[in-house]
Amino acid sequence: MHAIWFRLGLIVLLIARVCSGAAPEPYSSTHKPVLHGRHWVAITGKPLGATAGARMFERGGNAVDAACAMLAVVCTMYDELSWGGETQALIYNPIANKIVGINALGVAPGGATPDFFKAKKLKYPPADGPLAAVTPGTPGGLLVMLAEFGTFSLKEVLAPAMQMAAGYPIEAEAAAKIERYKEKLKKWPYSKQVFFPHPGEEREGPRPGEIWRQPDLLATLEKLVEAEARALDAGKDRKQAIYAAYARFYTGDIAEEYCRGSRELGGLHTVSDLANWKVKLEEPLMTTYKGIEVYKLNCWTQGPVMLQALNLLENLDLVSMGYDSARYIHALYEAMNLAYADRDFCYADPDFPPEEPIHTLLSKEYAKERLKLIDWKRNNTDIRPGDPYAFAGKQNPFLNLLTNWSNMRTSPPPSSSETGTARARLHGSAALEGQGAGSGPSGTGDLEDHEDFDARFRAGTTSIQAADDKGWAISVTPSGGWQPACIAGHTGIGMSQRMQSFVLDEAENPFNVLAPGKRPRVTLTPTLALKQGKLYLCFSVQGGDTQDQNLLQFFLNIVEFGMTVQEACEAANITS
């Protein structure tokens, strides 16, 4: 028995049995049943993507093979994300009995400095276009995951995506997004060429169900497969051959065309920017919640914020409060506020000094001290970051900024001229994960951008989960290159918009100030959990700042209230 599952909301895989009986009322009935798989499970937010994962499993591949095939397909759809974006993942390796973090987030190109954007009268890097793009990370992430942990060839894994690039019936949602952003897309010549196959007609973009073709992207994917084939012919093994494809993308003709196309449109990318960037295999962060080990990526993501919230909530008797009671909701809300305030000030690329105090932030003792700040009678609207340096007996390098930092000062209510994009960035992060904000951060958007802020705030890209009977499990939260996507040259690759996640003023987030070669702090946050040393949960969700808020409540629904995964997905939750 197998399982293939796609869902646009929370995406989760239950590895171990959670509870033996039906969950208590009032949340025991669900709109959909729990799905079970004996040999494998392939999950993503797009049916075509999940189908690609199923194909890999049916041919004998493992969970990483399936995840890579799903990633390739969802990027090719140009619906929620594309190939020039970024990929973040956690992989459970049953051979080593170890969880590995995959950091495939691009970096700011050379020349991308605060002064560069300030000279353009911008308060933040743009929301889209060539100047919004970090180096492409998803191709490298896919290739490294497949080489290091997969079993199939690149040719096998890319086959479904290449079939789609040659032509597939485009879905209504993707076609509608092209239509929505047509005025901006037409300003970029390579995007105009790809997204508008009917020039001069009343509707120049593809119609729902029409066979839509992407010859440039297909040619790029064929070049990767060709590089692999040449390496195999030269006597290289599977892993070396996949890395030959990696080299062609980041140091060969694909890199050259990508950078040429970027610079033609005013971008800053050079071949050395791509050649110097590398996918990182990382040790993930972990905390325990009542004996359950919960794993997240490091503080270049917002993932540790959920670990901090769990440390705070572990000190409380949540069950006695009652599920979704006023006191329970207040406890969650205040704990999240405390954790997110630390995120807003302290999280960023750990490869750039000064060192983020993440291990102090994740200490149980620090959580107990922060917990004392909760007012159980009312909401505190001015939650501020703590000082983990002082807590650890060290000197805070940004003490002067911390003293003056306040949510009340950094995020005032937007005026009618402010866009949702500008409002969402006031904490020093791009809360609008993957919804293609239609304006730059300088407040030049139209009224529609402001009015649909709430809908776009909750939007996102997608998530990918897979597991198999050999013990492999993988959680992926890819993003970037969403519509409106600026395509770089004749590569067919939509460029990332992740530069918008940087700040230019250290007063907002001193660790996350833009610098060449630096990764912006992102909200993307895959999750794995172990119980008694065995796989327990594999879960993630799209949606900007809402991600770890949703994931925290989902986790507690299962662990504290005994819900099944489907009940936990469908249960009501709050979003701050």
Side-chain angles (χ1 to χ4, degrees):
M1 181 179 181
H2 314 302
I4 180 171
W5 192 11
F6 35 85
R7 178 179 174 86
L8 289 178
L10 185 72
I11 298 180
V12 60
L13 172 62
L14 180 67
I15 304 296
R17 182 68 174 164
V18 175
C19 57
S20 57
E25 296 292 339
Y27 43 70
S28 59
S29 61
T30 58
H31 292 286
K32 296 180 180 180
V34 176
L35 298 183
H36 302 278
R38 180 179 177 185
H39 299 293
W40 55 262
V41 181
I43 308 173
T44 188
K46 298 296 173 182
L48 289 173
T51 301
R55 286 175 61 179
M56 298 302 108
F57 277 130
E58 292 289 4
R59 296 177 183 182
N62 71 5
V64 177
D65 297 321
C68 289
M70 289 190 276
L71 176 60
V73 164
V74 297
C75 287
T76 302
M77 291 178 70
Y78 263 112
D79 186 348
E80 304 290 355
L81 68 158
S82 60
W83 278 94
E86 46 277 340
T87 289
Q88 298 70 215
L90 289 171
I91 298 175
Y92 178 74
N93 180 348
I95 300 172
N97 190 29
K98 183 179 181 181
I99 294 176
V100 179
I102 305 296
N103 180 342
L105 171 63
V107 299
T113 65
D115 287 343
F116 174 84
F117 289 105
K118 289 177 181 178
K120 294 181 174 294
K121 308 301 181 185
L122 294 172
K123 296 181 180 179
Y124 302 88
D128 48 46
L131 288 177
V134 294
T135 54
T138 288
L142 188 154
L143 292 165
V144 169
M145 289 191 296
L146 182 62
E148 297 293 335
F149 305 107
T151 65
F152 278 2
S153 68
L154 180 62
K155 180 179 180 180
E156 291 173 301
V157 166
L158 290 187
M162 293 173 69
Q163 184 182 41
M164 291 181 64
Y168 82 100
I170 190 170
E171 295 184 353
E173 185 176 0
K177 287 178 180 176
I178 293 172
E179 185 69 14
R180 176 180 180 183
Y181 295 111
K182 60 185 178 182
E183 297 307 320
K184 181 160 286 188
L185 288 169
K186 287 179 182 179
K187 294 179 181 179
W188 302 318
Y190 301 102
S191 297
K192 181 178 180 179
Q193 178 182 339
V194 171
F195 294 120
F196 301 99
H198 309 295
E201 297 184 16
E202 182 177 351
R203 177 165 179 158
E204 297 180 298
R207 300 161 182 83
E210 175 184 343
I211 302 300
W212 181 49
R213 296 175 173 85
Q214 303 173 69
D216 284 347
L217 177 59
L218 178 60
T220 293
L221 299 180
E222 287 174 339
K223 288 177 182 179
L224 297 177
V225 172
E226 180 184 51
E228 177 189 50
R230 288 180 178 175
L232 291 171
D233 290 342
K236 303 295 184 181
D237 62 23
R238 185 195 74 92
K239 182 175 178 179
Q240 292 170 330
I242 294 172
Y243 277 114
Y246 183 107
R248 185 166 187 181
F249 188 96
Y250 287 97
T251 64
D253 56 344
I254 300 174
E256 291 172 357
E257 177 59 17
Y258 179 94
C259 295
R260 185 205 65 77
S262 169
R263 297 184 76 86
E264 177 187 341
L265 299 175
L268 300 171
H269 299 88
T270 65
V271 174
S272 62
D273 289 323
L274 272 64
N276 292 332
W277 178 83
K278 296 291 186 294
V279 176
K280 298 186 64 178
L281 301 182
E282 296 184 342
E283 187 81 20
L285 298 175
M286 186 271 288
T287 197
T288 59
Y289 183 85
K290 298 187 175 180
I292 298 171
E293 296 177 0
V294 185
Y295 290 82
K296 287 285 194 176
L297 292 167
N298 210 324
C299 58
W300 54 276
T301 74
Q302 75 171 357
V305 78
M306 178 178 165
L307 306 183
Q308 283 194 251
L310 287 173
N311 285 342
L312 289 159
L313 295 169
E314 190 178 35
N315 297 288
L316 305 175
D317 186 354
L318 299 177
V319 174
S320 69
M321 295 179 185
Y323 171 71
D324 270 3
S325 67
R327 189 170 180 83
Y328 177 72
I329 290 173
H330 186 67
L332 293 182
Y333 185 75
E334 294 300 314
M336 291 193 299
N337 281 347
L338 288 164
Y340 272 81
D342 283 340
R343 180 205 70 166
D344 292 342
F345 192 83
C346 294
Y347 290 18
D349 186 347
D351 289 342
F352 276 67
E355 181 181 1
E356 290 80 356
I358 190 62
H359 295 291
T360 302
L361 290 172
L362 291 179
S363 74
K364 300 288 188 179
E365 294 75 17
Y366 178 78
K368 290 178 181 178
E369 192 64 26
R370 291 282 277 166
L371 193 67
K372 297 176 183 177
L373 297 176
I374 294 181
D375 185 337
W376 289 101
K377 295 181 179 180
R378 60 180 59 84
N379 173 45
N380 182 357
T381 57
D382 192 16
I383 291 290
R384 302 189 182 201
D387 188 355
Y389 290 97
F391 188 84
K394 299 179 181 179
Q395 180 65 37
N396 190 329
F398 299 117
L399 185 60
N400 62 319
L401 298 175
L402 179 65
T403 302
N404 296 318
W405 197 98
S406 168
N407 270 309
M408 303 298 288
R409 279 191 283 273
T410 58
S411 55
S415 66
S416 59
S417 63
E418 268 188 308
T419 68
T421 305
R423 178 186 180 190
R425 294 199 191 113
L426 288 169
H427 290 301
S429 71
L432 306 183
E433 201 77 74
Q435 71 288 69
S439 65
S442 56
T444 58
D446 57 26
L447 185 59
E448 178 187 356
D449 285 320
H450 176 67
E451 290 177 340
D452 68 358
F453 166 76
D454 184 72
R456 293 187 294 112
F457 178 80
R458 299 170 194 279
T461 50
T462 193
S463 176
I464 295 169
Q465 322 295 315
D468 60 43
D469 54 8
K470 304 176 186 66
W472 290 91
I474 177 171
S475 177
V476 192
T477 315
S479 189
W482 57 73
Q483 295 291 12
C486 179
I487 293 179
H490 292 291
T491 63
I493 293 173
M495 303 173 77
S496 163
Q497 297 94 341
R498 195 54 57 188
M499 288 270 283
Q500 63 173 277
S501 297
F502 282 115
V503 299
L504 307 182
D505 182 356
E506 69 172 9
E508 290 188 49
N509 181 188
F511 293 91
N512 192 38
V513 177
L514 170 66
K518 188 174 184 178
R519 290 174 171 85
R521 192 264 293 163
V522 297
T523 58
L524 305 155
T525 175
T527 324
L528 284 174
L530 304 182
K531 187 175 184 180
Q532 297 176 346
K534 297 180 180 180
L535 273 170
Y536 180 54
L537 285 170
C538 175
F539 59 115
S540 61
V541 68
Q542 73 279 3
D545 285 356
T546 69
Q547 289 179 46
D548 278 302
Q549 300 179 57
N550 300 146
L551 296 176
L552 172 68
Q553 293 167 82
F554 166 83
F555 178 83
L556 294 173
N557 287 346
I558 291 176
V559 174
E560 293 287 9
F561 297 98
M563 296 188 195
T564 66
V565 290
Q566 190 63 37
E567 290 164 342
C569 283
E570 293 187 18
N573 63 59
I574 62 168
T575 294
S576 167

